[in-house]
Amino acid sequence: MIANPYNSLDWNAVIPLLVVSVTALAVLFADLVARGGVKRVVCIAIGLAGLAVAAVLCAKSYGQSYSSFGGGFIMGGFTVVFEELIVLSAIFSVALYSAVGEARHLAGSIALLLWSAAGAMLMAGAGNLMTIFLGLELLSLALYCLCGMSRRTTARESALKYLILSSTASGFMLYGMALFFGATGSVSLAALANPATAASPLFLVGTALFFIGIAFKLSLVPFHVWTPDVYEGAPLPVTAFMSVATKAGALAVLVRFAYATLPSIHVREILLPLYVVAAISMLVGNLAALAQTDMKRLLAYSGIAQIGYILVALAGTTALGLRYAVFYLAAYLFMNLGAFAVVALMSTENEEGSRIAAFHGLGWRRPWLAAAMAFFLLGLAGFPPTAGFIGKVLILASAVGAGYAWLAGFLILGTAISLYVYFKILRLMYERDQQRAAPVVENSSALAWVSVGVCAIVTVALTFYPLVPSNIIPLVK
Amino acid sequence: MGRARTTRTRLVCGNAVMHHLMGIDGHYPLLLAIWLLPLLGAVACWTFGPQLGRLAGPLGSACTGAAFVAALSSWGDAMQKTSAGLGAHQHLGSWFPGFDFGLLLDPLALIWALIITGVGFLIHVYSIGYMAGDRAFARFFAYMNFFVFAMLTLVLADDFVLLLIGWGLVGLASYFLIGFWFERPTAVAAARKAFVINVLGDVAILFAIFIMFARVGSVGFADVFANPHALGGWLFATCACLFIGAAAKSAQVPLHTWLPDAMEGPTPVSALIHAATMVTAGVYLIARCWPLWSASPDAQVLAGTVGALTAFLGAILGMAQWDIKRILAYSTMSQIGYMIMGVGVGAYEAGVAHFFTHAFFKAQLFLGSGLIIHALAGEQDVRKMGGLRTRMPFAFWAMLVGVLAIIGFPGLSGFFSKDAVIYGALEHGHPWMYAVGIATAGITAYYMFRMLFLTFWGHYRGDAVGGQEHQPGPVMTVPVALLIVPTALAGWLLFGPASWWKRFLNGQFSGETLPAPVVSELSTTFIVLAVVAVGVAIAYLRYAGDAAMKDSKERLEREGARMPSVLVQAFYVDTALNILFVKTSQAFGTVFGRWFDPQFIDGAVRETVISSRWLGHLFRSFQTGLVRAYALIMVLGAACFIAYYAFSAGVR
């Protein structure tokens, strides 16, 4: 299958990946050279610069089509869009290190985060099963370490839980890939796209196992159980990164598989279980979020529901649905990372201010911060004038148009419950009660403030200029 | 006649006869200037009102005047014509697919833009004098400029969404201006009433947009009009929704009741908004949507019938009014009925022509009446006027020209356009609308001359001591004098078989060649003239003859007391609307507010909250924190997944 991968190495396809990976080494090197207070600044600056260069190089490939490693990595409009989203989430996460995170772990954390991003980017462009698994493991291995990068015991616990459960899911997925190979005799996604073999039991059971691995990374119910614990325990920037980048990578794999590999005659039945778990996720995610006392846990559950919304857009595997899914993913990125940046601004270097009680009376103590938080929460709830509103309208339109009205019904139900989740915090922030008001934490990291501002502006701007890229039909060849 | 009608219907339904020309894309800075200059004026007057002081008037007028100059300079752009395009199209921005926003200036939009800015400019200048004593001088001009901007948005829009935005903003500006003297409770009530009825129309248009977007996938004029039959069975529904919007804005029966009340606003407002421009937006809408109307004979009958009815009822009610501005309000309603009838039945050029001439003579009449009201310190009751011919000769001559124009005196502007509309109804196969149009012309002659005689003939019946009225200054008289020229002469542009007007609108509308009706245009003119002469004669006998002059004051009091209540109450339309909508809504409100809402909605919310909390805690209880429990949940889920695929594989 892959005769000599280096013969087909197209630099255009892999250059953003290389830039991100090499930047990680540069950060580690800077950590050795720099001394004292500038260390933090230098490490973050190098990380951000590398990511920015990668974003620009990546954007140049939009509208092109390159392939490397004998079709193992495919660069085109689809890969570009997902890689950009992953790079953006990495940028916002690295920016959070200016507000939180222990100094001694800083350079290592940023380097691991960049490698993790490289793994997710590899998943976004993966053209065969080997590359998918390689990207998945690169992403996960870096994250296992990142989750434990803290003095707190909860962080260690979260890292271990993630390691065990994620390995289980990877095992399922690897077994599924083996069955694919058995059914078709190939690991390339292009070769899997064969209607004759797609009906074989071997292929279908392989699909089941493959989807279990994907569903774990997307944290769909019931494969979501690890999410709240790991999100809560992991350091804040890591949680922020995981909440978007992991999902974007897994979503890219799922979309490429569903749109380009599965034969269109069977695609409805084959994807049905995913829609069912998406429906359950929208309900369970929002219901469980009601009872949370920690903001990171709450956002974990909210993310479980939000990924359900994105899967609703993919219902019926229409081209329009894919465009709307990407739009909503982008909107989710800004709203969610904006909320994480707000949490970062309420934290100190060693203590994360993610308890929901800390938001009590925030509207009177730090009005701008509370206003931004309120805005992101409204966006997550799907209120105008945020991109969350327009995104949900588009998803509903595409799902109903594709004949999945029942999924649209679940989306509306889930949204109705989520209002209660988000408005509870809104009410808390604007309650005037001196006794219960939390003590003020003054963190005025400029970068985190910039993140909050950019996220807020983009969330509004996407409402009026809905960027729904058209050139994103995934390719396997 | 019946046979002619069937032929016509078939012709209209054929696709071939309709051809809608789109604007030619390009960059037109002048077009943007027309649109944005009044906005600039509004913002300036609003923001720097206190600093500007008395300068707000000239500034506001200058902005409107500059917009007029820009509109005149865009003449060439608007008239450019190729095989595929007519006029200028300036792209503004895109939203979703199907939502492209831009400005369109073709002859139809140009004629409206010229009237809005040209007549608007004269009225702005007039207002400098009329509003001189008002405290909120700058606020007035901010509102007026804002109105001009909103109206330009409406007529320059190239799609239904931007049109609706303009449509709504116009309603808002009208609300501000009717309620300008907000210390008066009647003004506030009138403003609210106008706004509510107008919003009803906005909602109807919104529904039309929903239908169009659902069926055509676009809200742009070019896409919707390219093939009206793409709307399929929804074509009539679309037209009907648009027509409700048009009827609300243009005071068509039964949504007309806000217009007489709107006379609570300052008189220049009545002249600008409630006579010359805003109330003709409905005419514009139908003329703009002519491909839809031409494709739907039912919509033509609907609009034509309502228009004819409004023309007739408005004229009847005009006979029973004593307030000079209410007389003019009902005459406006009646004249717009003519226009709607014209564009409704398919006589687009005639309907638009009547808008064109009406804008001049009605603005003239309102500004003339404003001269009188201003001079008599706010007196509006014609029973307390009389004999003003000698004391206010300028106002007299101005009003006389206006009245002669509106009743269709040969050679003046109304003569040409009104006859064209009446004859157009016959030409398009609606003989009874033709008859109603002729009858209405007679009644119009009667009540307009009644107003003229009561105001200017006989002896002064008011309380003001002789010579006390203050004569208006040149800032007020010059605009009126300038309006006399088009009031008198604009009609000649419509004269003849190859008239200037036909050449101007060439390519704007297209349609079928109609069979010649039984009555010729010339005979129609003579019939109308005869009816008009009868109307004037009756008015003379009742209000200006020697017998009427003897004890005019007592006679008028008697007449007022004997006025049939059906006319005084304006056919009880207000009462009927009140019972039908207001009272029933209140009853519904009571039922829902007292019983349904607390029991069902609140109850459901309460239950949802309680059960959500319970479920939330339930799901939380799964979250034990133990890895073995998590692994168990995952493996159970995995088992379900594998079972589904294995099972579905077995079935196949």
Side-chain angles (χ1 to χ4, degrees):
Chain A
M1 280 128 269
I2 307 169
N4 181 359
Y6 299 102
N7 281 348
S8 67
L9 180 64
D10 187 339
W11 289 100
N12 290 312
V14 292
I15 194 90
L17 263 174
L18 289 178
V19 169
V20 173
S21 311
V22 171
T23 306
L25 289 175
V27 171
L28 289 180
F29 184 72
D31 185 46
L32 292 177
V33 178
R35 289 276 170 272
V38 284
K39 205 180 232 183
R40 187 180 281 265
V41 179
V42 169
C43 289
I44 291 173
I46 292 175
L48 290 180
L51 287 166
V53 170
V56 171
L57 290 174
C58 185
K60 282 190 175 168
S61 299
Y62 185 76
Q64 308 295 325
S65 178
Y66 310 115
S67 112
S68 252
F69 308 125
F73 188 82
I74 299 157
M75 191 71 172
F78 175 80
T79 313
V80 168
V81 169
F82 274 90
E83 285 195 350
E84 289 288 358
L85 291 177
I86 292 161
V87 169
L88 266 178
S89 61
I91 287 177
F92 283 116
S93 308
V94 169
L96 294 190
Y97 274 113
S98 69
V100 291
E102 292 156 30
R104 66 195 176 99
H105 291 313
L106 189 77
S109 298
I110 292 178
L112 281 168
L113 202 137
L114 290 175
W115 280 321
S116 184
M121 288 163 76
L122 201 55
M123 287 170 86
N128 67 30
L129 299 172
M130 292 298 105
T131 329
I132 293 177
F133 196 71
L134 189 66
L136 184 75
E137 286 308 298
L138 183 55
L139 169 76
S140 305
L141 282 171
L143 281 177
Y144 302 149
C145 305
L146 277 171
C147 287
M149 285 276 214
S150 172
R151 204 176 289 133
R152 288 173 299 130
T153 46
T154 51
R156 311 276 164 81
E157 186 190 324
S158 114
L160 194 64
K161 271 182 188 165
Y162 190 39
L163 172 66
I164 294 171
L165 295 171
S166 176
S167 306
T168 315
S170 293
F172 275 116
M173 193 166 184
L174 199 58
Y175 194 2
M177 289 175 173
L179 292 183
F180 283 153
F181 184 74
T184 61
S186 168
V187 289
S188 114
L189 288 177
L192 294 186
N194 180 357
T197 52
S200 77
L202 216 52
F203 184 89
L204 284 169
V205 174
T207 309
L209 297 167
F210 185 70
F211 280 171
I212 290 165
I214 297 284
F216 179 87
K217 283 289 162 203
L218 290 177
S219 24
L220 288 166
V221 176
F223 309 103
H224 71 291
V225 274
W226 58 279
T227 317
D229 288 9
V230 173
Y231 277 30
E232 187 187 5
L236 188 71
V238 177
T239 312
F241 178 74
M242 281 171 90
S243 71
V244 180
T246 317
K247 290 178 181 177
L251 196 69
V253 169
L254 173 64
V255 168
R256 202 185 286 277
F257 186 73
Y259 274 71
T261 302
L262 287 179
S264 52
I265 39 166
H266 301 313
V267 72
R268 284 180 98 92
E269 301 98 88
I270 291 181
L271 290 179
L272 182 68
L274 277 184
Y275 301 145
V276 172
V277 293
I280 300 172
S281 300
M282 287 187 279
L283 295 187
V284 171
N286 283 320
L287 280 171
L290 279 176
Q292 301 310 317
T293 54
D294 184 280
M295 194 44 128
K296 279 157 78 187
R297 276 186 91 88
L298 187 140
L299 287 173
Y301 279 113
S302 141
I304 290 169
Q306 304 280 347
I307 203 73
Y309 303 154
I310 293 175
L311 284 191
V312 173
L314 296 177
T317 52
T318 58
L320 203 61
L322 175 57
R323 294 169 65 184
Y324 294 163
V326 167
F327 174 72
Y328 196 81
L329 184 65
Y332 167 68
L333 186 155
F334 289 105
M335 299 182 299
N336 196 46
L337 294 182
F340 273 110
V342 171
V343 176
L345 281 170
M346 297 174 64
S347 313
T348 61
E349 213 165 279
N350 298 314
E351 177 103 32
E352 285 179 2
S354 62
R355 285 176 308 111
I356 287 181
F359 285 84
H360 202 106
L362 189 72
W364 311 108
R365 288 180 282 122
R366 302 178 75 177
W368 284 101
L369 197 63
M373 188 66 184
F375 188 69
F376 297 130
L377 291 175
L378 287 177
L380 290 170
F383 262 68
T386 64
F389 167 73
I390 210 86
K392 269 188 190 153
V393 171
L394 294 176
I395 289 175
L396 285 174
S398 99
V400 172
Y404 285 88
W406 63 273
L407 261 182
F410 273 99
L411 194 156
I412 292 169
L413 197 61
T415 303
I417 301 168
S418 78
L419 294 185
Y420 187 51
V421 175
Y422 301 118
F423 277 78
K424 225 173 69 175
I425 298 168
L426 279 182
R427 199 191 63 189
L428 203 66
M429 287 199 299
Y430 289 97
E431 208 168 61
R432 272 194 194 276
D433 186 346
Q434 295 300 325
Q435 262 92 51
R436 290 174 60 198
V440 182
V441 177
E442 280 302 338
N443 186 328
S444 51
S445 152
L447 262 182
W449 267 114
V450 170
S451 301
V452 169
V454 169
C455 287
I457 290 168
V458 175
T459 308
V460 180
L462 282 179
T463 318
F464 298 104
Y465 300 97
L467 297 170
V468 188
S470 53
N471 183 22
I472 51 163
I473 300 305
L475 303 168
V476 287
K477 271 183 249 184
Chain B
M1 206 64 222
R3 178 170 300 171
R5 198 151 169 221
T6 356
T7 336
R8 186 189 67 85
T9 313
R10 192 163 352 111
L11 268 168
V12 170
C13 289
N15 272 341
V17 290
M18 283 182 301
H19 187 52
H20 173 255
L21 292 172
M22 290 159 277
I24 298 164
D25 282 314
H27 291 289
Y28 301 98
L30 272 176
L31 187 46
L32 290 170
I34 307 174
W35 186 46
L36 294 176
L37 274 168
L39 180 66
L40 188 75
V43 172
C45 288
W46 183 249
T47 321
F48 303 109
Q51 289 82 4
L52 282 169
R54 295 291 115 186
L55 279 177
L59 177 73
S61 312
C63 284
T64 315
F68 177 67
V69 173
L72 269 185
S73 319
S74 314
W75 189 285
D77 293 337
M79 301 302 292
Q80 57 182 337
K81 188 166 183 270
T82 64
S83 57
L86 173 69
H89 180 257
Q90 163 81 46
H91 184 72
L92 287 180
S94 300
W95 201 40
F96 286 102
F99 290 89
D100 286 314
F101 304 121
L103 300 179
L104 170 69
L105 188 75
D106 56 4
L108 181 67
L110 179 65
I111 204 80
W112 248 272
L114 284 174
I115 293 286
I116 293 160
T117 52
V119 176
F121 170 66
L122 293 180
I123 294 172
H124 270 75
V125 172
Y126 177 93
S127 307
I128 297 175
Y130 195 89
M131 301 303 288
D134 204 281
R135 278 186 292 119
F137 190 72
R139 182 164 62 93
F140 181 81
F141 282 93
Y143 287 165
M144 290 285 269
N145 270 10
F146 174 63
F147 167 79
V148 170
F149 163 73
M151 194 69 202
L152 287 169
T153 312
L154 195 165
V155 299
L156 294 177
D158 78 333
D159 61 284
F160 281 98
V161 170
L162 198 57
L163 178 133
L164 182 61
I165 292 173
W167 196 269
L169 289 181
V170 160
L172 185 68
S174 163
Y175 171 80
F176 287 152
L177 284 165
I178 297 171
F180 183 73
W181 285 318
F182 55 79
E183 306 89 351
R184 296 189 195 167
T186 47
V188 175
R192 198 169 49 207
K193 185 175 180 181
F195 191 69
V196 168
I197 294 184
N198 273 302
V199 165
L200 186 83
D202 298 356
V203 173
I205 293 182
L206 194 61
F207 274 99
I209 295 177
F210 289 161
I211 299 175
M212 285 186 270
F213 188 69
R215 304 291 305 189
V216 186
S218 168
V219 295
F221 290 151
D223 299 322
V224 175
F225 297 155
N227 182 14
H229 294 281
L231 290 164
W234 289 92
L235 177 60
F236 177 69
T238 312
C239 288
C241 283
L242 289 173
F243 185 69
I244 293 173
K249 194 68 86 196
S250 290
Q252 299 296 292
V253 171
L255 300 176
H256 65 279
T257 57
W258 62 272
L259 185 59
D261 292 5
M263 296 300 134
E264 286 290 341
T267 305
V269 170
S270 312
L272 178 60
I273 300 187
H274 306 114
T277 54
M278 182 187 94
V279 285
T280 60
V283 183
Y284 172 80
L285 183 67
I286 298 178
R288 176 54 77 197
C289 299
W290 70 269
L292 303 185
W293 253 264
S294 287
S296 171
D298 292 337
Q300 291 192 328
V301 171
L302 173 73
T305 308
V306 172
L309 211 63
T310 307
F312 187 69
L313 292 180
I316 295 269
L317 290 172
M319 295 195 299
Q321 303 303 318
W322 297 113
D323 182 321
I324 189 166
K325 280 181 73 182
R326 286 181 87 91
I327 297 175
L328 291 175
Y330 278 112
S331 91
T332 305
M333 175 185 155
S334 166
Q335 298 299 312
I336 297 169
Y338 271 126
M339 297 173 210
I340 293 276
M341 182 176 98
V343 292
V345 297
Y348 305 110
E349 291 180 3
V352 174
H354 198 50
F355 151 75
F356 179 62
T357 58
H358 174 262
F360 296 122
F361 60 68
K362 188 49 66 69
Q364 163 100 357
L365 283 168
F366 264 110
L367 294 187
S369 77
L371 294 177
I372 301 166
I373 296 166
H374 193 67
L376 297 180
E379 184 54 65
Q380 302 192 5
D381 192 330
V382 285
R383 284 172 293 192
K384 297 194 176 151
M385 296 177 186
L388 297 178
R389 189 172 34 165
T390 49
R391 292 157 77 171
M392 304 184 67
F394 176 74
F396 168 68
W397 287 108
M399 292 289 274
L400 181 66
V401 177
V403 168
L404 289 176
I406 197 174
I407 69 166
F409 188 79
L412 297 186
S413 58
F415 170 74
F416 298 96
S417 56
K418 188 191 285 186
D419 280 9
V421 168
I422 294 173
Y423 187 67
L426 184 66
E427 220 175 9
H428 286 79
H430 301 282
W432 73 266
M433 291 181 201
Y434 171 75
V436 170
I438 292 174
T440 305
I443 305 170
T444 307
Y446 167 75
Y447 74 79
M448 288 312 290
F449 262 92
R450 170 180 176 267
M451 179 195 82
L452 199 68
F453 289 141
L454 284 173
T455 315
F456 292 106
W457 263 256
H459 303 289
Y460 184 60
R461 296 179 295 273
D463 314 319
V465 187
Q468 200 182 352
E469 69 269 21
H470 39 292
Q471 290 293 339
V475 74
M476 287 171 74
T477 51
V478 169
V480 181
L482 284 177
L483 274 172
I484 290 180
V485 180
T487 300
L489 301 177
W492 290 100
L493 296 174
L494 317 174
F495 182 67
S499 64
W500 179 89
W501 186 254
K502 277 205 167 59
R503 277 179 280 128
F504 177 74
L505 284 178
N506 181 28
Q508 183 76 55
F509 309 110
S510 65
E512 67 283 14
T513 340
L514 297 161
V518 281
V519 189
S520 77
E521 193 159 6
L522 195 63
S523 349
T524 306
T525 306
F526 282 114
I527 298 171
V528 172
L529 278 181
V531 174
V532 165
V534 171
V536 174
I538 296 174
Y540 182 80
L541 288 177
R542 283 182 61 110
Y543 298 104
D546 290 338
M549 280 300 163
K550 257 187 285 173
D551 49 350
S552 54
K553 210 165 177 174
E554 293 72 31
R555 277 173 62 102
L556 289 176
E557 268 165 27
R558 272 207 309 280
E559 192 188 324
R562 275 194 315 217
M563 190 72 77
S565 69
V566 66
L567 290 183
V568 176
Q569 295 291 325
F571 298 112
Y572 302 106
V573 174
D574 252 336
T575 324
L577 289 180
N578 196 24
I579 292 169
L580 260 176
F581 296 107
V582 180
K583 293 275 184 251
T584 43
S585 312
Q586 281 173 347
F588 266 113
T590 315
V591 170
F592 277 90
R594 298 257 166 81
W595 172 74
F596 185 82
D597 201 49
Q599 291 291 320
F600 285 83
I601 308 288
D602 276 3
V605 169
R606 224 170 17 242
E607 289 305 314
T608 313
V609 167
I610 291 169
S611 55
S612 301
R613 249 191 230 140
W614 181 79
L615 279 171
H617 284 287
L618 179 74
F619 287 122
R620 205 184 170 194
S621 68
F622 288 122
Q623 216 67 37
T624 49
L626 295 176
V627 176
R628 60 171 182 273
Y630 291 177
L632 180 67
I633 293 172
M634 271 176 60
V635 169
L636 283 177
C640 294
F641 254 58
I642 295 166
Y644 171 82
Y645 286 100
F647 179 70
S648 68
V651 167
R652 227 182 276 127

